[in-house]
């Protein structure tokens, strides 16, 4: 909880700094330069654009992004930024009705409360630096909040992981596909009774597939 509190405080301080720097557009400001670079080289980079998400081929220029960020009304991203902490000692909760009324853009910091059984509506960016105490693939996979439907905005979703976490999730995904392929192949066998068939599941180095075996 203390770690999450420190992270939340750092984010709040950074948001204040952004508000001071971004309220007036200055192309020479370091934060504005970084935002423009992200827009041009990542979000709006043609190889990263999912055509199905933009069937009409509508283009958004950088000037439009600037106006959305700083225009001083309910559409201003800066004015709508809110940070909340979901942890054992924090009294805060996800009250979507209240956030929707304010038009909030949320930054959510958390640990155990955030790691399982929680859906974050409209989730776009995830920073994942937490591991399960138990080295079980199913437990670690359930800690990921970015799975699910992202119709209309999946091309702007981003996930930031440590290299070891990325490798682990890639391995878990491979094992999942392997198990599904085995099940589908067996399902096509009319000479077998599936209740009598054993499907094996590989473990990955350092992890068991599940404890329920």
């Amino acid at each position: 909880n203390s770690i999450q509190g420190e992270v939340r405080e750092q984010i709040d301080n950074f948001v204040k700094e952004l508000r001071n720097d971004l309220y007036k557009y200055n192309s020479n400001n370091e934060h504005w330069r970084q935002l423009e670079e992200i827009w041009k080289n990542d979000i709006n980079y043609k190889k990263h654009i999912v055509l199905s998400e933009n069937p009409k081929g509508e283009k958004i220029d950088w000037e439009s992004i600037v106006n959305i960020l700083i225009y001083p009304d309910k559409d201003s991203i800066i004015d709508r930024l809110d940070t909340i902490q979901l942890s054992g000692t924090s009294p805060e909760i996800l009250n979507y009705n209240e956030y929707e009324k304010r038009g909030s853009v949320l930054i959510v910091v958390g640990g155990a409360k955030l790691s399982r059984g929680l859906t974050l509506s409209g989730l776009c960016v995830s920073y994942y630096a937490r591991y399960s105490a138990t080295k079980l693939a199913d437990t670690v996979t359930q800690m990921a909040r970015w799975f699910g439907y992202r119709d209309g905005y999946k091309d702007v979703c981003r996930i930031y992981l440590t290299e070891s976490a990325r490798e682990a999730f890639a391995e878990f995904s491979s094992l999942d596909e392997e198990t599904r392929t085995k099940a589908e192949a067996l399902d096509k066998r009319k000479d077998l009774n599936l209740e009598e068939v054993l499907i094996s599941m590989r473990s990955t180095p350092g992890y068991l597939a599940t404890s329920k075996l």
Side-chain angles (χ1 to χ4, degrees), residues 13-46:
N13 291 336
F14 183 63
V15 168
K16 290 178 183 177
E17 182 180 332
L18 283 180
R19 285 189 173 125
N20 290 332
D21 281 0
L22 300 185
Y23 266 132
K24 282 191 174 182
Y25 178 61
N26 179 355
S27 59
N28 294 320
N29 177 272
E30 180 62 25
H31 289 138
W32 275 116
R33 285 204 303 268
Q34 290 175 356
L35 286 171
E36 187 172 7
E37 182 178 340
I38 291 171
W39 170 253
K40 290 182 176 179
N41 299 325
D42 183 7
I43 303 297
N44 202 40
Y45 185 49
K46 61 182 181 181

mmCIF file of all heavy atoms in Angstrom, residues 13-46:
data_model
loop_
_atom_site.group_PDB
_atom_site.id
_atom_site.type_symbol
_atom_site.label_atom_id
_atom_site.label_comp_id
_atom_site.label_asym_id
_atom_site.label_seq_id
_atom_site.Cartn_x
_atom_site.Cartn_y
_atom_site.Cartn_z
ATOM 1 N N ASN A 13 1.831 14.700 -8.802
ATOM 2 C CA ASN A 13 2.800 15.793 -8.979
ATOM 3 C C ASN A 13 3.110 16.011 -10.453
ATOM 4 O O ASN A 13 3.246 17.150 -10.915
ATOM 5 C CB ASN A 13 4.092 15.497 -8.211
ATOM 6 C CG ASN A 13 3.903 15.562 -6.708
ATOM 7 O OD1 ASN A 13 2.991 16.228 -6.218
ATOM 8 N ND2 ASN A 13 4.749 14.872 -5.963
ATOM 9 N N PHE A 14 3.195 14.896 -11.197
ATOM 10 C CA PHE A 14 3.499 15.014 -12.625
ATOM 11 C C PHE A 14 2.324 15.628 -13.383
ATOM 12 O O PHE A 14 2.514 16.433 -14.300
ATOM 13 C CB PHE A 14 3.843 13.645 -13.207
ATOM 14 C CG PHE A 14 4.235 13.680 -14.660
ATOM 15 C CD1 PHE A 14 5.370 14.364 -15.066
ATOM 16 C CD2 PHE A 14 3.455 13.046 -15.615
ATOM 17 C CE1 PHE A 14 5.735 14.410 -16.399
ATOM 18 C CE2 PHE A 14 3.808 13.087 -16.951
ATOM 19 C CZ PHE A 14 4.943 13.768 -17.348
ATOM 20 N N VAL A 15 1.099 15.268 -13.000
ATOM 21 C CA VAL A 15 -0.086 15.849 -13.638
ATOM 22 C C VAL A 15 -0.131 17.359 -13.396
ATOM 23 O O VAL A 15 -0.460 18.145 -14.309
ATOM 24 C CB VAL A 15 -1.375 15.175 -13.120
ATOM 25 C CG1 VAL A 15 -2.616 15.955 -13.558
ATOM 26 C CG2 VAL A 15 -1.461 13.743 -13.632
ATOM 27 N N LYS A 16 0.214 17.786 -12.187
ATOM 28 C CA LYS A 16 0.266 19.231 -11.896
ATOM 29 C C LYS A 16 1.290 19.915 -12.783
ATOM 30 O O LYS A 16 1.064 21.016 -13.303
ATOM 31 C CB LYS A 16 0.614 19.445 -10.421
ATOM 32 C CG LYS A 16 -0.481 19.050 -9.454
ATOM 33 C CD LYS A 16 -0.026 19.242 -8.013
ATOM 34 C CE LYS A 16 -1.097 18.764 -7.035
ATOM 35 N NZ LYS A 16 -0.641 18.877 -5.626
ATOM 36 N N GLU A 17 2.433 19.266 -12.937
ATOM 37 C CA GLU A 17 3.486 19.813 -13.799
ATOM 38 C C GLU A 17 3.007 19.924 -15.246
ATOM 39 O O GLU A 17 3.250 20.927 -15.928
ATOM 40 C CB GLU A 17 4.727 18.913 -13.722
ATOM 41 C CG GLU A 17 5.913 19.409 -14.532
ATOM 42 C CD GLU A 17 7.099 18.473 -14.424
ATOM 43 O OE1 GLU A 17 7.234 17.781 -13.390
ATOM 44 O OE2 GLU A 17 7.894 18.429 -15.381
ATOM 45 N N LEU A 18 2.294 18.873 -15.707
ATOM 46 C CA LEU A 18 1.753 18.897 -17.071
ATOM 47 C C LEU A 18 0.757 20.029 -17.249
ATOM 48 O O LEU A 18 0.748 20.723 -18.269
ATOM 49 C CB LEU A 18 1.086 17.567 -17.397
ATOM 50 C CG LEU A 18 1.979 16.379 -17.726
ATOM 51 C CD1 LEU A 18 1.126 15.156 -18.013
ATOM 52 C CD2 LEU A 18 2.888 16.676 -18.913
ATOM 53 N N ARG A 19 -0.108 20.217 -16.259
ATOM 54 C CA ARG A 19 -1.117 21.275 -16.362
ATOM 55 C C ARG A 19 -0.447 22.638 -16.500
ATOM 56 O O ARG A 19 -0.879 23.486 -17.277
ATOM 57 C CB ARG A 19 -2.035 21.242 -15.143
ATOM 58 C CG ARG A 19 -3.045 20.100 -15.179
ATOM 59 C CD ARG A 19 -4.067 20.219 -14.070
ATOM 60 N NE ARG A 19 -5.111 19.213 -14.225
ATOM 61 C CZ ARG A 19 -5.456 18.348 -13.285
ATOM 62 N NH1 ARG A 19 -4.844 18.360 -12.107
ATOM 63 N NH2 ARG A 19 -6.416 17.471 -13.507
ATOM 64 N N ASN A 20 0.607 22.852 -15.734
ATOM 65 C CA ASN A 20 1.312 24.132 -15.814
ATOM 66 C C ASN A 20 1.976 24.316 -17.180
ATOM 67 O O ASN A 20 1.980 25.414 -17.736
ATOM 68 C CB ASN A 20 2.377 24.215 -14.717
ATOM 69 C CG ASN A 20 1.783 24.351 -13.338
ATOM 70 O OD1 ASN A 20 0.679 24.878 -13.174
ATOM 71 N ND2 ASN A 20 2.485 23.856 -12.333
ATOM 72 N N ASP A 21 2.534 23.222 -17.715
ATOM 73 C CA ASP A 21 3.290 23.317 -18.965
ATOM 74 C C ASP A 21 2.407 23.307 -20.205
ATOM 75 O O ASP A 21 2.746 23.916 -21.224
ATOM 76 C CB ASP A 21 4.289 22.157 -19.069
ATOM 77 C CG ASP A 21 5.539 22.400 -18.237
ATOM 78 O OD1 ASP A 21 5.620 23.460 -17.592
ATOM 79 O OD2 ASP A 21 6.429 21.531 -18.238
ATOM 80 N N LEU A 22 1.273 22.600 -20.146
ATOM 81 C CA LEU A 22 0.502 22.365 -21.359
ATOM 82 C C LEU A 22 -0.659 23.316 -21.578
ATOM 83 O O LEU A 22 -1.249 23.324 -22.660
ATOM 84 C CB LEU A 22 -0.031 20.921 -21.365
ATOM 85 C CG LEU A 22 1.004 19.798 -21.309
ATOM 86 C CD1 LEU A 22 0.315 18.448 -21.445
ATOM 87 C CD2 LEU A 22 2.064 19.951 -22.399
ATOM 88 N N TYR A 23 -1.002 24.119 -20.572
ATOM 89 C CA TYR A 23 -2.147 25.000 -20.756
ATOM 90 C C TYR A 23 -1.919 26.000 -21.887
ATOM 91 O O TYR A 23 -2.848 26.434 -22.541
ATOM 92 C CB TYR A 23 -2.474 25.749 -19.456
ATOM 93 C CG TYR A 23 -3.532 25.048 -18.639
ATOM 94 C CD1 TYR A 23 -3.358 24.824 -17.296
ATOM 95 C CD2 TYR A 23 -4.719 24.631 -19.230
ATOM 96 C CE1 TYR A 23 -4.336 24.178 -16.542
ATOM 97 C CE2 TYR A 23 -5.697 23.979 -18.495
ATOM 98 C CZ TYR A 23 -5.495 23.764 -17.152
ATOM 99 O OH TYR A 23 -6.462 23.121 -16.424
ATOM 100 N N LYS A 24 -0.672 26.374 -22.097
ATOM 101 C CA LYS A 24 -0.341 27.210 -23.241
ATOM 102 C C LYS A 24 0.523 26.397 -24.181
ATOM 103 O O LYS A 24 1.526 25.811 -23.773
ATOM 104 C CB LYS A 24 0.409 28.475 -22.807
ATOM 105 C CG LYS A 24 -0.473 29.553 -22.216
ATOM 106 C CD LYS A 24 0.287 30.857 -22.062
ATOM 107 C CE LYS A 24 -0.642 31.975 -21.595
ATOM 108 N NZ LYS A 24 0.096 33.268 -21.478
ATOM 109 N N TYR A 25 0.109 26.366 -25.440
ATOM 110 C CA TYR A 25 0.860 25.573 -26.409
ATOM 111 C C TYR A 25 2.174 26.254 -26.745
ATOM 112 O O TYR A 25 2.221 27.413 -27.145
ATOM 113 C CB TYR A 25 0.046 25.367 -27.679
ATOM 114 C CG TYR A 25 0.814 24.591 -28.737
ATOM 115 C CD1 TYR A 25 1.254 23.296 -28.470
ATOM 116 C CD2 TYR A 25 1.112 25.157 -29.955
ATOM 117 C CE1 TYR A 25 1.965 22.582 -29.409
ATOM 118 C CE2 TYR A 25 1.821 24.450 -30.912
ATOM 119 C CZ TYR A 25 2.243 23.166 -30.633
ATOM 120 O OH TYR A 25 2.959 22.458 -31.572
ATOM 121 N N ASN A 26 3.254 25.523 -26.559
ATOM 122 C CA ASN A 26 4.600 26.000 -26.892
ATOM 123 C C ASN A 26 5.348 24.822 -27.490
ATOM 124 O O ASN A 26 5.712 23.879 -26.779
ATOM 125 C CB ASN A 26 5.306 26.521 -25.638
ATOM 126 C CG ASN A 26 6.718 27.005 -25.942
ATOM 127 O OD1 ASN A 26 7.217 26.871 -27.064
ATOM 128 N ND2 ASN A 26 7.375 27.578 -24.940
ATOM 129 N N SER A 27 5.577 24.867 -28.780
ATOM 130 C CA SER A 27 6.194 23.731 -29.468
ATOM 131 C C SER A 27 7.612 23.454 -28.993
ATOM 132 O O SER A 27 8.166 22.383 -29.247
ATOM 133 C CB SER A 27 6.207 23.979 -30.985
ATOM 134 O OG SER A 27 6.935 25.160 -31.301
ATOM 135 N N ASN A 28 8.211 24.416 -28.286
ATOM 136 C CA ASN A 28 9.574 24.219 -27.773
ATOM 137 C C ASN A 28 9.596 23.582 -26.389
ATOM 138 O O ASN A 28 10.658 23.191 -25.908
ATOM 139 C CB ASN A 28 10.325 25.557 -27.718
ATOM 140 C CG ASN A 28 10.572 26.127 -29.107
ATOM 141 O OD1 ASN A 28 10.895 25.383 -30.038
ATOM 142 N ND2 ASN A 28 10.405 27.442 -29.250
ATOM 143 N N ASN A 29 8.413 23.491 -25.761
ATOM 144 C CA ASN A 29 8.340 22.876 -24.441
ATOM 145 C C ASN A 29 8.610 21.376 -24.542
ATOM 146 O O ASN A 29 8.128 20.702 -25.455
ATOM 147 C CB ASN A 29 6.954 23.122 -23.841
ATOM 148 C CG ASN A 29 6.770 22.449 -22.494
ATOM 149 O OD1 ASN A 29 6.366 21.293 -22.445
ATOM 150 N ND2 ASN A 29 7.067 23.163 -21.421
ATOM 151 N N GLU A 30 9.376 20.830 -23.602
ATOM 152 C CA GLU A 30 9.788 19.428 -23.666
ATOM 153 C C GLU A 30 8.598 18.482 -23.648
ATOM 154 O O GLU A 30 8.553 17.494 -24.394
ATOM 155 C CB GLU A 30 10.732 19.103 -22.497
ATOM 156 C CG GLU A 30 11.227 17.664 -22.476
ATOM 157 C CD GLU A 30 12.039 17.293 -23.712
ATOM 158 O OE1 GLU A 30 12.621 18.193 -24.341
ATOM 159 O OE2 GLU A 30 12.083 16.092 -24.048
ATOM 160 N N HIS A 31 7.597 18.765 -22.826
ATOM 161 C CA HIS A 31 6.420 17.886 -22.764
ATOM 162 C C HIS A 31 5.637 17.915 -24.068
ATOM 163 O O HIS A 31 5.167 16.872 -24.544
ATOM 164 C CB HIS A 31 5.517 18.291 -21.597
ATOM 165 C CG HIS A 31 6.100 17.966 -20.259
ATOM 166 N ND1 HIS A 31 6.026 18.825 -19.192
ATOM 167 C CD2 HIS A 31 6.782 16.875 -19.821
ATOM 168 C CE1 HIS A 31 6.623 18.284 -18.145
ATOM 169 N NE2 HIS A 31 7.092 17.109 -18.502
ATOM 170 N N TRP A 32 5.496 19.099 -24.661
ATOM 171 C CA TRP A 32 4.804 19.181 -25.947
ATOM 172 C C TRP A 32 5.581 18.453 -27.031
ATOM 173 O O TRP A 32 5.001 17.790 -27.892
ATOM 174 C CB TRP A 32 4.593 20.643 -26.350
ATOM 175 C CG TRP A 32 3.359 21.252 -25.768
ATOM 176 C CD1 TRP A 32 3.284 22.294 -24.890
ATOM 177 C CD2 TRP A 32 2.016 20.852 -26.016
ATOM 178 N NE1 TRP A 32 1.984 22.559 -24.564
ATOM 179 C CE2 TRP A 32 1.164 21.697 -25.251
ATOM 180 C CE3 TRP A 32 1.427 19.859 -26.809
ATOM 181 C CZ2 TRP A 32 -0.211 21.580 -25.251
ATOM 182 C CZ3 TRP A 32 0.043 19.736 -26.815
ATOM 183 C CH2 TRP A 32 -0.761 20.587 -26.045
ATOM 184 N N ARG A 33 6.906 18.552 -26.998
ATOM 185 C CA ARG A 33 7.724 17.847 -27.995
ATOM 186 C C ARG A 33 7.556 16.338 -27.858
ATOM 187 O O ARG A 33 7.456 15.612 -28.853
ATOM 188 C CB ARG A 33 9.202 18.228 -27.843
ATOM 189 C CG ARG A 33 9.541 19.614 -28.356
ATOM 190 C CD ARG A 33 11.016 19.726 -28.721
ATOM 191 N NE ARG A 33 11.880 19.408 -27.595
ATOM 192 C CZ ARG A 33 12.347 20.316 -26.747
ATOM 193 N NH1 ARG A 33 12.032 21.607 -26.889
ATOM 194 N NH2 ARG A 33 13.126 19.964 -25.748
ATOM 195 N N GLN A 34 7.516 15.853 -26.610
ATOM 196 C CA GLN A 34 7.349 14.411 -26.376
ATOM 197 C C GLN A 34 5.983 13.936 -26.858
ATOM 198 O O GLN A 34 5.869 12.877 -27.491
ATOM 199 C CB GLN A 34 7.526 14.107 -24.890
ATOM 200 C CG GLN A 34 8.954 14.270 -24.392
ATOM 201 C CD GLN A 34 9.063 14.067 -22.894
ATOM 202 O OE1 GLN A 34 8.070 13.873 -22.203
ATOM 203 N NE2 GLN A 34 10.286 14.120 -22.383
ATOM 204 N N LEU A 35 4.931 14.712 -26.566
ATOM 205 C CA LEU A 35 3.583 14.340 -27.003
ATOM 206 C C LEU A 35 3.479 14.309 -28.523
ATOM 207 O O LEU A 35 2.884 13.393 -29.103
ATOM 208 C CB LEU A 35 2.558 15.325 -26.428
ATOM 209 C CG LEU A 35 2.250 15.187 -24.937
ATOM 210 C CD1 LEU A 35 1.398 16.359 -24.465
ATOM 211 C CD2 LEU A 35 1.529 13.873 -24.652
ATOM 212 N N GLU A 36 4.062 15.300 -29.166
ATOM 213 C CA GLU A 36 4.001 15.335 -30.627
ATOM 214 C C GLU A 36 4.777 14.173 -31.241
ATOM 215 O O GLU A 36 4.351 13.581 -32.230
ATOM 216 C CB GLU A 36 4.551 16.658 -31.153
ATOM 217 C CG GLU A 36 4.367 16.823 -32.651
ATOM 218 C CD GLU A 36 4.737 18.207 -33.139
ATOM 219 O OE1 GLU A 36 5.264 19.014 -32.333
ATOM 220 O OE2 GLU A 36 4.506 18.502 -34.325
ATOM 221 N N GLU A 37 5.894 13.823 -30.623
ATOM 222 C CA GLU A 37 6.679 12.693 -31.113
ATOM 223 C C GLU A 37 5.901 11.381 -30.967
ATOM 224 O O GLU A 37 5.901 10.547 -31.873
ATOM 225 C CB GLU A 37 7.996 12.591 -30.344
ATOM 226 C CG GLU A 37 8.903 11.476 -30.827
ATOM 227 C CD GLU A 37 10.226 11.438 -30.080
ATOM 228 O OE1 GLU A 37 10.595 12.464 -29.473
ATOM 229 O OE2 GLU A 37 10.882 10.395 -30.091
ATOM 230 N N ILE A 38 5.215 11.195 -29.824
ATOM 231 C CA ILE A 38 4.394 9.995 -29.622
ATOM 232 C C ILE A 38 3.278 9.945 -30.663
ATOM 233 O O ILE A 38 2.981 8.893 -31.230
ATOM 234 C CB ILE A 38 3.807 9.976 -28.197
ATOM 235 C CG1 ILE A 38 4.923 9.758 -27.170
ATOM 236 C CG2 ILE A 38 2.751 8.876 -28.054
ATOM 237 C CD1 ILE A 38 4.470 9.939 -25.728
ATOM 238 N N TRP A 39 2.653 11.092 -30.916
ATOM 239 C CA TRP A 39 1.561 11.137 -31.888
ATOM 240 C C TRP A 39 2.043 10.765 -33.284
ATOM 241 O O TRP A 39 1.458 9.923 -33.960
ATOM 242 C CB TRP A 39 0.937 12.526 -31.892
ATOM 243 C CG TRP A 39 -0.021 12.733 -33.023
ATOM 244 C CD1 TRP A 39 0.179 13.492 -34.143
ATOM 245 C CD2 TRP A 39 -1.321 12.146 -33.166
ATOM 246 N NE1 TRP A 39 -0.907 13.420 -34.968
ATOM 247 C CE2 TRP A 39 -1.849 12.602 -34.399
ATOM 248 C CE3 TRP A 39 -2.087 11.286 -32.386
ATOM 249 C CZ2 TRP A 39 -3.104 12.222 -34.860
ATOM 250 C CZ3 TRP A 39 -3.336 10.898 -32.841
ATOM 251 C CH2 TRP A 39 -3.830 11.364 -34.048
ATOM 252 N N LYS A 40 3.129 11.380 -33.712
ATOM 253 C CA LYS A 40 3.596 11.185 -35.087
ATOM 254 C C LYS A 40 4.249 9.822 -35.304
ATOM 255 O O LYS A 40 4.074 9.208 -36.361
ATOM 256 C CB LYS A 40 4.579 12.290 -35.470
ATOM 257 C CG LYS A 40 3.930 13.660 -35.629
ATOM 258 C CD LYS A 40 4.936 14.713 -36.048
ATOM 259 C CE LYS A 40 4.247 16.050 -36.296
ATOM 260 N NZ LYS A 40 5.213 17.111 -36.676
ATOM 261 N N ASN A 41 5.006 9.353 -34.308
ATOM 262 C CA ASN A 41 5.794 8.133 -34.497
ATOM 263 C C ASN A 41 5.156 6.870 -33.943
ATOM 264 O O ASN A 41 5.669 5.768 -34.147
ATOM 265 C CB ASN A 41 7.188 8.303 -33.881
ATOM 266 C CG ASN A 41 7.959 9.438 -34.518
ATOM 267 O OD1 ASN A 41 7.835 9.684 -35.718
ATOM 268 N ND2 ASN A 41 8.758 10.140 -33.725
ATOM 269 N N ASP A 42 4.026 7.030 -33.236
ATOM 270 C CA ASP A 42 3.375 5.857 -32.660
ATOM 271 C C ASP A 42 1.881 5.839 -32.983
ATOM 272 O O ASP A 42 1.440 5.107 -33.858
ATOM 273 C CB ASP A 42 3.603 5.807 -31.151
ATOM 274 C CG ASP A 42 2.999 4.573 -30.500
ATOM 275 O OD1 ASP A 42 2.520 3.687 -31.237
ATOM 276 O OD2 ASP A 42 2.983 4.483 -29.269
ATOM 277 N N ILE A 43 1.098 6.676 -32.309
ATOM 278 C CA ILE A 43 -0.353 6.627 -32.442
ATOM 279 C C ILE A 43 -0.806 6.845 -33.884
ATOM 280 O O ILE A 43 -1.655 6.115 -34.407
ATOM 281 C CB ILE A 43 -1.024 7.676 -31.527
ATOM 282 C CG1 ILE A 43 -0.603 7.468 -30.070
ATOM 283 C CG2 ILE A 43 -2.545 7.600 -31.659
ATOM 284 C CD1 ILE A 43 -1.019 6.165 -29.469
ATOM 285 N N ASN A 44 -0.253 7.843 -34.545
ATOM 286 C CA ASN A 44 -0.683 8.182 -35.901
ATOM 287 C C ASN A 44 0.242 7.606 -36.975
ATOM 288 O O ASN A 44 0.098 7.918 -38.150
ATOM 289 C CB ASN A 44 -0.765 9.706 -36.074
ATOM 290 C CG ASN A 44 -1.675 10.117 -37.218
ATOM 291 O OD1 ASN A 44 -2.730 9.531 -37.411
ATOM 292 N ND2 ASN A 44 -1.275 11.116 -37.982
ATOM 293 N N TYR A 45 1.170 6.752 -36.562
ATOM 294 C CA TYR A 45 2.084 6.112 -37.520
ATOM 295 C C TYR A 45 1.277 5.140 -38.376
ATOM 296 O O TYR A 45 0.528 4.313 -37.852
ATOM 297 C CB TYR A 45 3.188 5.384 -36.761
ATOM 298 C CG TYR A 45 4.257 4.772 -37.634
ATOM 299 C CD1 TYR A 45 4.858 5.502 -38.641
ATOM 300 C CD2 TYR A 45 4.659 3.457 -37.443
ATOM 301 C CE1 TYR A 45 5.853 4.939 -39.434
ATOM 302 C CE2 TYR A 45 5.650 2.886 -38.223
ATOM 303 C CZ TYR A 45 6.241 3.642 -39.220
ATOM 304 O OH TYR A 45 7.214 3.081 -40.012
ATOM 305 N N LYS A 46 1.409 5.244 -39.692
ATOM 306 C CA LYS A 46 0.509 4.519 -40.587
ATOM 307 C C LYS A 46 0.538 3.010 -40.373
ATOM 308 O O LYS A 46 -0.478 2.331 -40.557
ATOM 309 C CB LYS A 46 0.829 4.844 -42.043
ATOM 310 C CG LYS A 46 2.225 4.465 -42.498
ATOM 311 C CD LYS A 46 2.450 4.868 -43.960
ATOM 312 C CE LYS A 46 3.834 4.485 -44.446
ATOM 313 N NZ LYS A 46 4.052 4.886 -45.849
#
